[in-house]
Every structure is written in structure tokens, then in C-alpha cells.
Amino acid sequence: MSGQSITDRFAAAQHSMTGSAISKAVCKATTHEVSGPKKKHLDYLIHCTSEMNVSVPQLADTLFERTANSSWVVVFKALIATHHLMMYGNERLIQYLASRNTLFNLNNFLDKGALQGYDMSTFIRRYSRYLNEKAMSYRLVAVDFTKMKRGTDGVMRTMSTEKLIKTLPIIQNQLDALLDFQANPNELTNGVINAAFMLLFKDSIRLFAAYNEGVINLLEKYFDLKKGQCKEALDIYKKFLYRMTKLSEFLKVAETLVCFVGLYLLGHPQ
């Protein structure tokens, strides 16, 4: 039996009548059903980000509208859908998000009327702050750190000293916002928060890779730095070591979740 509420079905029917395929897909991706957004709806929205006849601002605004809902499930899934599109959609979506003066304003969000409402509202506030920081990073450097070319000839390994010193603190801020999600295994209790956590896990691996390569580049240049730059580089390196510890704790939680999902799938073959 479907977990969609009568409200979800009514909203989808309204969009069908008005001919708004994007609004209908967003509605279906952000139902009250306590599970992550369905892949088919996310895939359709990803496709839309590359269609020149689709208005990216309209798509983004439709997702923003869903975060005004009072239900933690709907709001959380709207954030997950947005994050998914930032990761896998056409770059023009994140360009648009980065161009906005404000993105998600959910610092005071609280769902008092639902099971798990208080707990999940905390994670919604943290998750929205990370997405805001991800968009801000793009706004500052015009690149998504999780998608940049890596390796010895990659962006961070070939970056100049001056640019490294400006860029690494931006990566630090984004990684801090990600690690501030701070979920432990006992709090990953449903398919919605698990879907969000898996996206954060994927971002953390790619973000840290860029961060690590930037620090390696900076250390290789260390003995050629000016006195003031040496102090900045040392400070960046100390902060890097601290974040390595925090990331290892985050990855332990991720490992637990991945093992749990694997065991679940073994016991529930498709």
C-alpha cells in the first residue's frame, strides 16, 4: 500500500490538471511517505535541469516552496531532492542556487506535531545549513569542489600559492557544515534521514579528496613561501588535522549505515 497521504494525491492531481510536469514530479518526490525520494522522480528532475526549455529558477522555486511545508518529511525530502540535483543535475542549477541572496531559511524549523518531529527537525536545520554552504562555496569560487578534476594534474594540485590560501578555508567551511550534521547510528532511524546521510557521505569523500590535495600542494610549496604565508599555511594544516579526526568519526557512522543497508537488501531481495 502506498504511503502517500490524501494531500499528496490531491496535490499531484492538481498539477496533472494544470499541466505542470515539474511541479507534479517535485510533489511526488516530496510526499509524506517516510522514505527517500523515489529514483524515477529524481531522474526526471535531473533530466529537466539539462532541458533548455525548462526554467531552472522555476524548478528551484518549486523545491523551495516545498520547504515551507509544516511536515518534517516533506521538508527533509525537498532538501534531499535539491541536494541530489546539485550533485547530479546540470551545472546551471547550482549556478542559479549560488546566485541567490538567500537559499534555505530553516534555522527555526520545528515540526511539533509528528512522530520523530523534534529529532528530525534538528537534522533538517543542520542539513539546510550545509546546502547553503555548498551553494556559497560555488558562489565564491565558481566550482563545485566535489566535482573538480583530481590527481597530480588536478585543480587543487596545480593551484598557485595565493589561490590555495584563499580557497582552502572555503573548503574547510563547507566540510565543517557537512560534519555538523552529527548523526550517530541510533539516530538514522528512517529512510528519509538515511537518504540525506548517504548524499552527505558521498560529498564528504569527494570534498575531502579536494581538501587533501590542496593541503599536499601547499605543503610542497612550504619552504618557498613568504613569512606571512608560512603562518597561514601552518594554521591551515593544523585545522586540516583536526578535521581529519572529525571526518573519521563521520565515516564510522557511514560505515555502520552502509553495512545495515547491505544486510537489509540481502534479507529483502528485489
Side-chain angles (χ1 to χ4, degrees):
M1 180 176 177
S2 173
Q4 292 184 30
S5 68
I6 294 175
T7 303
D8 295 329
R9 296 181 184 215
F10 180 72
Q14 277 187 312
H15 295 310
S16 294
M17 292 173 64
T18 59
S20 177
I22 288 177
S23 295
K24 182 179 179 181
V26 168
C27 181
K28 284 182 171 291
T30 58
T31 63
H32 290 76
E33 189 176 3
V34 186
S35 60
K38 287 185 171 59
K39 183 178 182 298
K40 62 181 179 180
H41 303 312
L42 293 175
D43 286 347
Y44 175 75
L45 293 173
I46 288 172
H47 172 73
C48 287
T49 64
S50 297
E51 288 293 306
M52 290 301 105
N53 62 336
V54 170
S55 168
V56 166
Q58 180 188 352
L59 169 56
D61 288 345
T62 304
L63 287 164
F64 293 147
E65 286 170 9
R66 295 298 277 172
T67 65
N69 198 283
S70 60
S71 166
W72 72 263
V73 182
V74 173
V75 175
F76 217 152
K77 289 169 80 167
L79 294 176
I80 292 167
T82 303
H83 191 181
H84 196 89
L85 296 185
M86 292 170 84
M87 291 175 69
Y88 302 112
N90 190 285
E91 190 172 5
R92 65 191 188 123
L93 176 82
I94 194 170
Q95 287 173 345
Y96 171 72
L97 296 178
S99 72
R100 291 176 59 104
N101 290 327
T102 58
L103 203 54
F104 297 110
N105 186 16
L106 294 169
N107 290 335
N108 297 314
F109 178 81
L110 180 61
D111 182 350
K112 299 179 181 179
L115 184 67
Q116 296 186 297
Y118 279 92
D119 292 340
M120 292 301 110
S121 293
T122 298
F123 291 110
I124 283 172
R125 294 192 294 270
R126 295 173 183 172
Y127 192 31
S128 66
R129 285 196 289 271
Y130 170 69
L131 296 183
N132 286 344
E133 194 64 43
K134 184 177 174 75
M136 177 57 71
S137 294
Y138 191 95
R139 184 174 184 171
L140 293 173
V141 297
V143 67
D144 184 342
F145 293 122
T146 67
K147 295 181 180 179
M148 58 172 43
K149 181 181 179 181
R150 297 196 293 269
T152 55
D153 60 342
V155 178
M156 298 305 298
R157 289 299 300 272
T158 57
M159 192 174 285
S160 67
T161 300
E162 291 75 16
K163 199 167 182 181
L164 271 173
I165 289 175
K166 290 180 180 178
T167 302
L168 284 170
I170 298 172
I171 299 182
Q172 288 174 351
N173 290 339
Q174 185 176 335
L175 186 60
D176 285 347
L178 188 155
L179 296 176
D180 279 345
F181 192 73
Q182 292 182 331
N184 64 55
N186 295 330
E187 292 169 315
L188 301 176
T189 55
N190 61 74
V192 180
I193 189 173
N194 290 354
F197 191 86
M198 289 306 295
L199 292 179
L200 289 170
F201 167 63
K202 291 175 183 177
D203 263 12
S204 71
I205 298 299
R206 298 166 184 170
L207 190 59
F208 184 76
Y211 189 23
N212 184 57
E213 291 187 351
V215 170
I216 290 173
N217 186 7
L218 191 62
L219 292 177
E220 288 175 345
K221 300 177 186 293
Y222 187 79
F223 292 105
D224 296 321
L225 300 180
K226 299 175 184 176
K227 185 176 181 180
Q229 291 175 329
C230 286
K231 184 178 180 181
E232 288 179 289
L234 185 59
D235 182 58
I236 287 172
Y237 182 62
K238 288 179 179 178
K239 290 177 178 177
F240 171 77
L241 295 178
Y242 169 72
R243 283 159 182 80
M244 280 186 66
T245 301
K246 288 192 68 177
L247 180 65
S248 67
E249 295 168 358
F250 178 87
L251 295 180
K252 286 178 183 177
V253 178
E255 183 179 6
T256 301
L257 177 59
V258 170
C259 288
F260 173 79
V261 171
L263 289 172
Y264 177 85
L265 293 175
L266 284 174
H268 299 76
Q270 300 300 311

